[in-house]
Amino acid sequence: MAEVYQYRNFYSIIVNNAQQNPNKTIIYDGDLKISNQQLLAHADNIASYLADAGVKAGDKVALVMSNSWQFVANIFAISKLGAVLVAINNFLKEDEISYILNDSQAKILFSSAKFAKDTREQIIKTDVEKIIWVDGAPIENTNNLDYAKLLANPKNTAKYVDRDAEQLALIVYTSGTTGKPKGAMLSFKNIQSNTTACIQHLRVKHGGIKMACYLPMFHGFTLTVTVILPIITNSGVVVIRSIATKGDFANLLKQVLLKRMPYFAGVPDVYSALSRAKLPWYFHMFHSVKGFISGAAPLAEETMRKFGESFKRGKLLQGYGISECSPVVSTNVPWANKIGSVGRALPSYQVECFDEEMNQVERDTIGEICVKGDCVMMGYFNRPADTSDTIVDGWFRTGDIGKVDRDGFIYIIDRKKDLIISKGMNIYPREIEEIIYTNEKVNVCAVVGLRDIEANETPVVYIELKEETTATEAEIKDFIRPYLAPFKQPRKIIFMEQLPRNATGKILKRELRELVNKI
């Protein structure tokens, strides 16, 4: 039976919120509080200027922005017109941004002024017709507009375009860990399916899931879980613009404490830092967090152990998601948490493992993890061949190797592309990484394969040490040796000051593979 969802698009959410609770604060951004009615007015205003600029249903509008209430307002303004949001990684450089703008066929670009170095020439290098500058325009003319001035002259002339929930609403570009980014096309049905399933899975009440949004808003995990979810439940988004300093981190924890958040969404790097941080006693005593949910990258079991030693209240829960699935696929919950797993599939989603020929394998058998349900993307933008390779009979092939146990708990063993094959023997890098993470000196690590002339691969380890620690290659090899079979032993240990990461902390193994091939 097909799921029936309440909303047709993003814009209809804030219309309903404003009708039901006009004065309720829905966004907290520093000292600024924005009510449901104010958010609707801002979205109407920006939508009117976009319509004046010629934006129509189906047109692509891109964002290269910092976390802010303006980012949130733009989501709903774009939706009012039936246009398509393209949220771009603000860590990218000029040519990388150009690639995405051209690939997505974006017509308008919103840019924070701090990214002007990489965005101001996009009006020349791409088909972007106008740039709307947030936080101050470096240049003003008919094609470069100042966001603040638009807001200072409010109007509500844009007509609402009532598009079907199954039409394209958002394009999220994959992180590019294995090559050029591809645009995953997500409908509003995809996103609403994911928020609905999260609400059911986490057993949260309407109005009862304020979320701290401190991870980059352009990321699918952040956008769905810490922006759309708390707005669709009329709960509230607490915008944290940065956690670059200890003061920022302290502010984040203060907001978690004061706003009495039941769940906290993060990435492994954040939980690694929290497990080491000396937090005030009153935070541990009075926080309301039932579950600290980790996603976007694998969570080392050593981090879970250390976190559990520090946090006696609130469990660290590993989840699993992928951009093409809107993105949350599964997560552990406080009342059903299997250490080492990424939890059960969210309600209404199916997760099973398949072999190379796409035959479903029995439970507890290793295979490629595949997902079926309303979360699965529409396809890759302008890439029908990639889409047909990836979505087979409604099953999305994640490219992750793992298993589903008899109770439905999912275990991720490794990325299919990361698998190392040595003389016909499979070596899963994550197995080696988990052992290395138990070394007190290691901050993060990554294992990649070095191929020889006979096409056999041997593991090479890249390590980023903790501050004020030193280690040698021999020391790490001696540490690993008792735990691994001889064919799994790393050939080389390479120390780096900082491993390459994407915006959410995921290690870019593609870059490491390029480095190892130069050895």
Side-chain angles (χ1 to χ4, degrees):
M1 181 178 169
E3 288 280 340
V4 177
Y5 300 108
Q6 182 178 1
Y7 299 106
R8 293 174 66 82
N9 50 46
F10 294 125
Y11 181 74
S12 57
I13 299 170
I14 60 170
V15 169
N16 185 67
N17 284 354
Q19 289 172 346
Q20 299 298 320
N21 302 93
N23 298 319
K24 178 183 173 65
T25 299
I26 197 68
I27 301 175
Y28 302 81
D29 188 348
D31 295 329
L32 183 67
K33 294 181 181 180
I34 296 177
S35 69
N36 281 317
Q37 189 63 55
Q38 289 170 326
L39 177 59
L40 179 61
H42 288 319
D44 287 337
N45 190 9
I46 294 303
S48 298
Y49 282 99
L50 289 175
D52 290 347
V55 175
K56 302 181 296 297
D59 285 343
K60 316 303 187 301
V61 179
L63 274 62
V64 180
M65 292 180 59
S66 304
N67 285 11
S68 60
W69 68 264
Q70 293 98 325
F71 192 119
V72 181
N74 290 345
I75 295 170
F76 300 101
I78 293 164
S79 177
K80 181 177 184 178
L81 301 177
V84 178
L85 169 68
V86 182
I88 299 179
N89 184 339
N90 59 36
F91 285 52
L92 299 181
K93 298 304 179 185
E94 184 175 2
D95 288 347
E96 295 170 309
I97 293 170
S98 297
Y99 170 81
I100 291 175
L101 290 172
N102 282 323
D103 189 73
S104 65
Q105 302 166 0
K107 188 171 185 176
I108 303 290
L109 171 63
F110 286 92
S111 176
S112 299
K114 67 184 289 186
F115 305 122
K117 177 176 176 291
D118 295 305
T119 58
R120 65 185 300 162
E121 298 298 321
Q122 299 298 345
I123 207 157
I124 299 168
K125 300 181 69 174
T126 70
D127 290 332
V128 165
E129 296 172 7
K130 291 183 188 293
I131 301 178
I132 302 175
W133 295 96
V134 183
D135 300 327
I139 181 173
E140 280 190 71
N141 52 41
T142 55
N143 295 326
N144 289 270
L145 308 177
D146 188 310
Y147 194 95
K149 291 181 179 178
L150 302 186
L151 290 178
N153 295 286
K155 58 180 178 177
N156 185 10
T157 55
K159 292 183 178 180
Y160 165 58
V161 178
D162 185 16
R163 298 186 92 202
D164 188 274
E166 295 196 26
Q167 291 183 294
L168 180 60
L170 167 68
I171 300 178
V172 175
Y173 275 78
T174 59
S175 60
T177 53
T178 57
K180 283 283 189 185
K182 296 190 291 285
M185 298 188 294
L186 301 176
S187 67
F188 182 68
K189 178 181 176 180
N190 290 146
I191 302 295
Q192 190 171 189
S193 153
N194 216 232
T195 56
T196 300
C198 284
I199 291 164
Q200 294 170 352
H201 196 65
L202 298 174
R203 300 179 185 174
V204 293
K205 295 179 180 178
H206 196 75
I209 187 165
K210 280 192 183 82
M211 295 291 287
C213 181
Y214 64 96
L215 299 170
M217 285 182 178
F218 61 76
H219 191 271
F221 177 64
T222 314
L223 196 61
T224 296
V225 176
T226 67
V227 178
I228 301 301
L229 176 60
I231 291 179
I232 206 169
T233 57
N234 202 10
S235 303
V237 178
V238 182
V239 177
I240 308 293
R241 296 202 172 210
S242 170
I243 54 166
T245 68
K246 287 185 178 179
D248 295 334
F249 206 75
N251 177 51
L252 169 61
L253 297 178
K254 177 183 175 184
Q255 295 302 323
V256 170
L257 189 66
L258 294 177
K259 300 296 190 299
R260 302 193 64 76
M261 298 177 188
Y263 288 96
F264 179 90
V267 295
D269 274 7
V270 169
Y271 294 117
S272 179
L274 279 173
S275 69
R276 299 193 304 268
K278 294 180 180 178
L279 303 181
W281 64 268
Y282 55 82
F283 179 83
H284 287 291
M285 184 69 71
F286 296 114
H287 76 74
S288 303
V289 182
K290 293 184 291 186
F292 293 87
I293 299 172
S294 180
L299 183 67
E301 289 191 25
E302 183 66 9
T303 299
M304 296 191 76
R305 183 186 67 77
K306 289 181 179 177
F307 190 91
E309 290 174 355
S310 300
F311 287 76
K312 304 302 182 185
R313 296 173 61 245
K315 291 184 178 179
L316 180 53
L317 307 167
Q318 188 166 195
Y320 172 64
I322 192 162
S323 299
E324 293 89 339
C325 291
S326 305
V328 186
V329 171
S330 67
T331 185
N332 282 287
V333 288
W335 51 90
N337 182 26
K338 277 194 180 182
I339 303 298
S341 84
V342 292
R344 291 189 177 108
L346 267 55
S348 79
Y349 300 164
Q350 294 174 258
V351 177
E352 298 292 349
C353 290
F354 289 74
D355 63 19
E356 287 289 340
E357 284 73 43
M358 280 302 289
N359 299 308
Q360 187 174 327
V361 300
E362 292 184 1
R363 291 284 175 98
D364 280 322
T365 303
I366 291 173
E368 181 178 358
I369 293 170
C370 297
V371 183
K372 196 174 198 177
D374 285 350
C375 62
V376 173
M377 67 172 181
M378 302 167 68
Y380 292 115
F381 186 63
N382 281 343
R383 284 179 169 80
D386 287 335
T387 300
S388 60
D389 286 345
T390 309
I391 303 175
V392 180
D393 295 330
W395 288 97
F396 175 76
R397 304 183 65 173
T398 66
D400 288 317
I401 300 296
K403 66 178 183 178
V404 181
D405 72 12
R406 302 288 175 183
D407 298 321
F409 284 84
I410 303 159
Y411 295 79
I412 310 296
I413 295 174
D414 230 315
R415 286 290 296 167
K416 191 174 181 180
K417 292 182 174 70
D418 292 343
L419 181 68
I420 297 170
I421 302 175
S422 176
K423 297 180 180 177
M425 302 289 286
N426 289 351
I427 301 172
Y428 296 106
R430 193 171 174 189
E431 178 187 6
I432 303 171
E433 291 163 359
E434 290 286 358
I435 292 166
I436 296 170
Y437 271 119
T438 63
N439 187 300
E440 293 290 335
K441 294 182 178 181
V442 174
N443 186 31
V444 292
C445 68
V447 175
V448 296
L450 175 62
R451 183 167 294 195
D452 61 24
I453 57 173
E454 295 177 344
N456 286 309
E457 294 179 300
T458 52
V460 173
V461 181
Y462 284 90
I463 291 178
E464 177 186 310
L465 293 171
K466 291 177 182 174
E467 291 182 6
E468 300 179 1
T469 60
T470 59
T472 64
E473 182 174 10
E475 179 184 345
I476 299 297
K477 284 185 173 180
D478 288 344
F479 179 83
I480 296 169
R481 190 170 291 110
Y483 303 102
L484 293 170
F487 74 93
K488 297 180 183 177
Q489 296 290 337
R491 172 176 166 182
K492 194 168 182 62
I493 310 290
I494 300 171
F495 297 98
M496 295 182 73
E497 188 173 324
Q498 188 170 45
L499 267 61
R501 296 171 169 86
N502 69 8
T504 58
K506 187 183 293 183
I507 304 300
L508 295 174
K509 289 194 173 182
R510 172 174 55 84
E511 292 190 14
L512 295 177
R513 277 191 285 268
E514 289 172 2
L515 288 175
V516 83
N517 287 328
K518 297 176 182 177
I519 292 177

